[in-house]
Amino acid sequence: MDQLRELRDQIDQIDRQMVALFEQRMSVVCRVEEFKREQGMPILQSDREKIVLEKAKSLLKNKDYEQVLESFMTHLMSPSRIQQARAQTLDEK
């Protein structure tokens, strides 16, 4: 059981790092939204999302995780679009 607790502690530490990185990412997403709004650009840019997915997969050392990473990144980009749409809605009010 000690081994399981140690592994879970490692996951908890990684999760803390991921939350901090998520917050950093969302801060940049807000700046992207401002730029897009100023330039009259749409929130969804499918070509960019494809590039993000391919770039992320190319960074993988263990290619066995490729499908899981693609799912993870796809789900990660969804809140970015939601945040951008929310910000635009708030700005319109």
Side-chain angles (χ1 to χ4, degrees):
M1 274 308 199
D2 287 341
Q3 183 181 5
L4 180 58
R5 187 177 63 237
E6 288 175 19
L7 293 169
R8 287 179 173 166
D9 287 345
Q10 288 177 27
I11 289 173
D12 290 345
Q13 183 174 353
I14 292 166
D15 287 349
R16 283 190 291 277
Q17 293 171 355
M18 288 175 59
V19 167
L21 289 171
F22 177 77
E23 285 183 313
Q24 288 177 10
R25 189 179 201 284
M26 293 306 290
S27 292
V28 175
V29 162
C30 290
R31 292 174 39 209
V32 167
E33 181 278 324
E34 290 172 10
F35 181 86
K36 286 179 179 179
R37 184 172 18 90
E38 290 168 1
Q39 300 299 316
M41 298 169 70
I43 292 170
L44 177 60
Q45 296 185 323
S46 299
D47 290 345
R48 169 64 181 156
E49 290 194 5
K50 288 176 188 173
I51 291 168
V52 170
L53 291 173
E54 292 305 314
K55 190 182 300 185
K57 289 189 291 186
S58 76
L59 296 171
L60 268 179
K61 291 181 176 114
N62 185 341
K63 299 300 182 184
D64 291 341
Y65 301 142
E66 195 167 291
Q67 280 187 311
V68 178
L69 177 67
E70 186 168 347
S71 175
F72 173 77
M73 293 301 294
T74 298
H75 284 87
L76 180 62
M77 288 186 281
S78 178
S80 298
R81 287 190 306 275
I82 292 168
Q83 177 63 31
Q84 289 180 50
R86 188 176 135 239
Q88 285 187 1
T89 302
L90 291 174
D91 287 341
E92 292 171 1
K93 289 182 179 183

